[in-house]
Every structure is written in structure tokens, then in C-alpha cells.
Amino acid sequence: MEELRSSFLDTVSGPAVTDPDDRHDEAQQSTDSDSVRTARGIRHGVFRAATLQDKLLERLLSQVIPADDSNGRVPDLTADDMPAYAERPGFSLPLMAANFRRFNARIGVVFKFQARALRVLSWRRPTQTLSLLAVYTFVCLDPYLLLALPLAIALFGILVPSFVARHPAPSSEPDQVRNLGYSPRGPPLAPPRTVKPAKELSRAFLRNMGDLQNVMDDFSVAHDKIVALVVPVTNFSDEALSSAVFVVLSGACLVMLIAAHLLPLRFIALVGGWAGILSGHPAVARWIRQAKAQYTAAATTTTTTNNNNSNNNNAKAASAPAKSTTPWYSPTALLQSLLSDIQLDSAPETREVEIFELQRRTFPSSSTIPASSHPPSPSPSSAGRDSAGEWQPWLFSPSPYDPLSAARLAGERPRGARFFEDVRPPDGWEWSEKKWALDLWSREWVEERIITGVEVETEGERWVYDMWTPGDDVAAAAGGGGGGEWEGAGEGQGRRSAPPRSGVSWEEGEEEGMGRRGLWRRRRWVRTVKRKKVTDV
């Protein structure tokens, strides 16, 4: 029924008759709508192309930038269970672009404040600058007023202008309103003033981008100038100059700790503030530029005259020492005097490094020593003690590899270099002497390390021998190594811990002339190193 009714009404009504003016309006509206659609289509195409480009760049950067193991999470530095920081996203090119657009749309407030501050400090409106100086003077004379300054700024800089914008004054045109003053009474006459971000691709948005570009350039220039001015003086590239600065700052710090309460800080702040603001006045700035130009011209003329005089002098006058015309109280003369008094230590720091020469006793393949037999009566002579085997050079180790060392107890082999030439100085050091020297005081380094179970030679080659243990003979018979472990002679026997060592110390062994020597011996070599001088890059 509804379909029949609609078709009947369409038949009765027939085609609508339009007026020529209506046709013209419709054509104009269609043209406007087409232009709007075209603009929207162009804008949509631009953003779509930008989105595709961002996705492509993000894919490329994801292949270049390594993945973050922490998944963008800022570590919690507190001991509480609650995290101090929320989840932070990782690097993303679309997210960075979106954040930049949001930041650029809202940074205009900062640039407006910067422009107004520069306008006030440059004396474009002297009344505003003088008002600033008056407020600054009151704060310097009574610093407690500084606590009321933020409140006054909130009252007269935020609330009052917002109220005036909500209740504007009547029109000043004489034809509309006559003899009416401003009255804050009555309902609000205007919408409240709000801070809205600038629309994308608008004039304010592009102006913010230009201001942000200029601020980045200003920061880069200021950073480079500060680095060029401060870093060479403080990084000890010129050690004499940096040392002089250190001495001056140390003395100034001591003076300030003692006499800081005697300084008229209010007067200093007042004079400094007035001088800084007055230097921005056009007349004062012009006078400063003229004085600087005159000083530069005078210095150039003096340098040229001195060069001409030096060229005209004869050889005798040229060979005579030149007299300095700089007064003694000038900063340059004081700095030169201070630099001449600073004597740098040219001798580098030296230290003594040590290395232990380890040797291991080897036995002939035909010699067999029963594992269960007791040690035979040793000969008092050294030749008799070593006649059962030969000492073979093993390596040069930073550790003495004594019987109770951690490596020996763990059954590890000693670590080190095979030859003296392979031993390198520590990082940042270089050899000060050409050769290694044998440490003749072997008893001292043994006592310093509290090493037991060894026999010390106080004469000859200064070897320090291991005392014999039952495991040494078994290891020698089986062809195994020392270090507190030995191999079983029969089949099926694995590695076992050595029996308890005898309690014979090196004092008892040397005094009584008893005790067989073990499988290891070592002696200490020393050499002097010095700090390596690093050249400037």
C-alpha cells in the first residue's frame, strides 16, 4: 500500500517546475560543492600519499634500527610496587609525525610569549619597559614581594583579561552608542576565551613551523658558540690554561664561602638588571656599537704600526727583547703571569707489573711410581730432588698458581702467554723499561700472598717449588697433571681428589732440608710501565 501511495503521489504531482533564478542558485551551489569536493579530494590524496610514505619509511627504519629489548618501557627506579612511569611506545615514524603536528599546533603560546618579551625588552613601548623596571626594582628592594608576583600575574594577566573578553566594552562608534561607559554588570555578552590549537595547514600552523625552525637554528648556533667558548678552557686540552681556570675558580669559591654574606646582593641585582635592560635601548645599543667599532679600529691601527716599526728596525734592535706595553692589572697580563707560575708535571705516572714464569716437571715414560707406596727418603741435595724428572717451560701467568689457589683447587689449567714477547702491558699503559727483571726477594712476595705448601729458594734462580703430595707421584706415573687432581692407574678409575696434603710448610722444609718437590715451580718477574700519552684528536 505504501508503494502504491507513493507512486500515485508522484504521478499526480508530475515534474517540478523550476524558476530560472532557482536554476542559477542551484548551479552556483553545485559549483561550490564541486570546488569543496575537489579541495577535500586533493587534501585526502595528499594525506593518503603522506600516510603511504610514512608506512614505507617506517618499514625501512624498522630494518635499520635495532629492536628495543625493553619494549619501550622506562625502567622503574623506585623500590615501590607501583611503577613510576607508564608504558612508553617505541620509535614509530607515523607516531612521531602525529606528535609533531600536535606539538606544532600548540606551541604558538610559547612563541607569543617570546615575541612579547622581546618587544618589552627592546623598548618598542617605553611605558611597558619602564613598568617592568619598576616591578623589578620593587622586587630587588624587597625580595619577599617575589612570592606575590605569580599571584599578581595570575590576577592581572589571566583572570582580568578573561573577564573583559567575557564582558566586552560597548562599541566606540558614535553613531551607535553615545555617552555610555564600561559597566561589568549584566549577563555575559561574549563567549569565553579559550586556547585552541591551530588547525593543520592554516596560517597559524605554518607560522608556528617557521618559528620552530628559527628556534632550532638559534639553539644550534648558541650551543656551538658555548661549546667553542667553554669546552677548550675546561676540558684540559690546554692543561696550563685549564689549570689556571681551576686555581682561579677554587680561590673564588673559597672567597665566596667566607665573604658571601658581605656582598650587597640586592644592590648588585638591581644594578645588573637595570644595566641589562638599558643595554637593549636603541640609543644605548647604538653607542655600544660605536665604542666597539672604535676599539677595533684602534687595535687594528696599533697592530699595523707595530708591524711597520718592527720591519724598519735594524737587526740589533730586532734582536733586543721587546717590552710589553700591557699594564700589569689587565686580565691578559694577570692570566699570563698565572700561566707562567703553573708548572705541569711532565713525568708520567709509573707502576710495576708482575708476571710469573711457571714450569712443570715431566718424567720419562719408562719411570713408574707405585701409587700406594710411601715417599722415599729424599736426598738433601737439590739435584737429588729433581733427578726423577726434568723441568719444562710451561707459560707466563699473571697468577703464581700456588697449591691453594682457586684454579688449582678447581682443577683448571693455568692461563697465560707462552713467551715473554706475548706479554702485553695493561690498557692505557706502555713499557717504561726494555727488559723484565727477576725478583730476587722471592720470600717477600710469598709472605705477602700468604702462600703455604711451597719451598722457597733464597739464592740462585729464586724458584718457588710446590711441596710433594701423594697425588703428585700418582699423577706423574699416570701422565696426568697437577693441580690437586690425579688419574687412577687401573681401568674404571676416574678423576679423584688428591689425598690431604702434608702439613709441611716452606719454613719447615727449608730448615730441616726435607720434603720432595711437587710438579710445579714458579718465579716472579717485574717490569715498570708508564701511562700512555694520548694525543689530541
Side-chain angles (χ1 to χ4, degrees):
M1 295 297 292
E2 294 294 337
E3 295 179 355
L4 292 175
R5 184 182 299 175
S6 61
S7 62
F8 175 75
L9 292 176
D10 293 337
T11 304
V12 172
S13 60
V17 180
T18 58
D19 189 68
D21 296 335
D22 295 339
R23 293 176 182 176
H24 177 72
D25 295 340
E26 291 177 358
Q28 184 69 23
Q29 292 177 1
S30 62
T31 304
D32 296 340
S33 61
D34 292 340
S35 62
V36 171
R37 291 195 197 95
T38 303
R40 290 180 178 177
I42 294 174
R43 185 176 181 180
H44 179 69
V46 169
F47 280 108
R48 184 177 181 183
T51 303
L52 294 176
Q53 186 178 5
D54 292 343
K55 290 183 178 180
L56 179 60
L57 289 177
E58 184 182 7
R59 183 66 60 85
L60 294 176
L61 291 176
S62 64
Q63 301 294 330
V64 176
I65 300 176
D68 190 4
D69 296 336
S70 60
N71 296 325
R73 183 179 178 85
V74 179
D76 186 11
L77 302 179
T78 61
D80 300 332
D81 295 333
M82 292 295 293
Y85 303 97
E87 293 283 345
R88 306 292 292 179
F91 175 76
S92 174
L93 192 62
L95 182 60
M96 184 180 67
N99 290 339
F100 175 77
R101 291 196 296 267
R102 293 174 55 196
F103 174 78
N104 188 73
R106 292 161 175 81
I107 196 63
V109 180
V110 178
F111 294 135
K112 288 181 180 179
F113 174 78
Q114 179 185 6
R116 292 182 180 180
L118 292 176
R119 189 182 301 114
V120 172
L121 296 177
S122 61
W123 293 81
R124 292 187 180 180
R125 292 185 178 180
T127 55
Q128 296 181 356
T129 308
L130 292 175
S131 301
L132 174 64
L133 286 174
V135 173
Y136 181 77
T137 302
F138 283 118
V139 171
C140 290
L141 296 178
D142 190 3
Y144 293 103
L145 294 177
L146 190 63
L147 300 177
L149 187 60
L151 304 178
I153 293 175
L155 285 175
F156 299 102
I158 299 178
L159 294 178
V160 172
S162 299
F163 182 82
V164 173
R166 188 80 162 133
H167 299 267
S171 178
S172 60
E173 296 181 2
D175 297 337
Q176 297 180 0
V177 179
R178 296 177 180 272
N179 299 326
L180 289 179
Y182 176 74
S183 177
R185 299 179 181 179
L189 304 178
R193 186 176 61 178
T194 58
V195 179
K196 296 181 180 180
K199 296 182 180 179
E200 294 184 3
L201 302 181
S202 63
R203 181 175 299 178
F205 187 85
L206 298 178
R207 184 170 57 249
N208 291 343
M209 291 187 66
D211 294 336
L212 188 60
Q213 164 192 314
N214 297 333
V215 167
M216 289 190 294
D217 180 69
D218 295 340
F219 175 80
S220 301
V221 172
H223 177 272
D224 295 341
K225 288 185 177 180
I226 292 174
V227 168
L229 181 64
V230 176
V231 171
V233 181
T234 57
N235 66 349
F236 284 86
S237 58
D238 186 354
E239 293 193 1
L241 180 59
S242 299
S243 301
V245 173
F246 178 80
V247 171
V248 171
L249 292 181
S250 300
C253 181
L254 293 177
V255 172
M256 288 294 105
L257 290 176
I258 297 173
H261 65 284
L262 301 177
L263 297 177
L265 298 180
R266 298 181 183 180
F267 179 75
I268 294 175
L270 180 61
V271 174
W274 272 81
I277 296 177
L278 286 176
S279 63
H281 194 275
V284 179
R286 192 182 310 110
W287 177 78
I288 293 175
R289 287 195 299 269
Q290 293 176 359
K292 183 178 179 181
Q294 293 177 0
Y295 177 79
T296 305
T300 305
T301 304
T302 303
T303 304
T304 306
T305 304
N306 293 335
N307 293 335
N308 294 333
N309 294 334
S310 61
N311 293 331
N312 296 329
N313 290 334
N314 52 23
K316 183 177 180 179
S319 61
K323 296 182 179 180
S324 177
T325 59
T326 305
W328 65 271
Y329 52 83
S330 64
T332 304
L334 294 177
L335 181 59
Q336 293 295 335
S337 176
L338 185 59
L339 291 177
S340 62
D341 293 337
I342 294 177
Q343 299 294 333
L344 299 177
D345 187 11
S346 58
E349 181 185 1
T350 58
R351 296 287 181 88
E352 187 181 70
V353 294
E354 62 180 4
I355 197 73
F356 293 92
E357 180 185 359
L358 300 182
Q359 290 188 0
R360 185 176 182 274
R361 188 169 62 173
T362 58
F363 297 89
S365 58
S366 59
S367 63
T368 57
I369 304 176
S372 59
S373 62
H374 293 283
S377 300
S379 172
S381 61
S382 176
R385 297 179 184 178
D386 299 338
S387 59
E390 296 181 356
W391 292 101
Q392 298 292 336
W394 198 255
L395 49 76
F396 296 90
S397 173
S399 172
Y401 201 63
D402 58 280
L404 296 181
S405 62
R408 289 282 291 274
L409 295 177
E412 300 177 358
R413 299 174 63 87
R415 299 178 181 179
R418 293 296 302 272
F419 306 100
F420 259 140
E421 293 77 7
D422 298 334
V423 180
R424 295 289 178 261
D427 294 337
W429 299 80
E430 60 183 359
W431 299 122
S432 177
E433 297 178 349
K434 296 183 178 180
K435 296 182 179 180
W436 291 86
L438 178 63
D439 186 6
L440 302 178
W441 305 94
S442 54
R443 184 192 298 269
E444 291 187 359
W445 66 262
V446 171
E447 292 178 350
E448 288 177 359
R449 288 170 169 79
I450 316 178
I451 297 177
T452 59
V454 294
E455 178 186 349
V456 182
E457 278 187 356
T458 57
E459 295 180 358
E461 298 181 349
R462 269 61 174 184
W463 290 103
V464 177
Y465 298 86
D466 287 352
M467 300 294 292
W468 175 87
T469 60
D472 292 339
D473 283 340
V474 176
E485 295 183 353
W486 57 289
E487 297 286 337
E491 296 181 359
Q493 294 183 355
R495 302 181 66 183
R496 298 182 299 175
S497 299
R501 302 180 183 273
S502 60
V504 181
S505 63
W506 59 270
E507 294 95 344
E508 297 173 357
E510 182 177 345
E511 292 176 358
E512 299 178 7
M514 297 179 61
R516 293 178 56 194
R517 290 171 177 170
L519 297 179
W520 293 95
R521 70 175 182 178
R522 77 281 300 154
R523 58 181 175 179
R524 183 172 178 262
W525 296 82
V526 294
R527 193 173 180 181
T528 305
V529 293
K530 62 180 179 180
R531 283 286 188 182
K532 183 185 298 184
K533 183 179 180 181
V534 179
T535 58
D536 298 336
V537 180

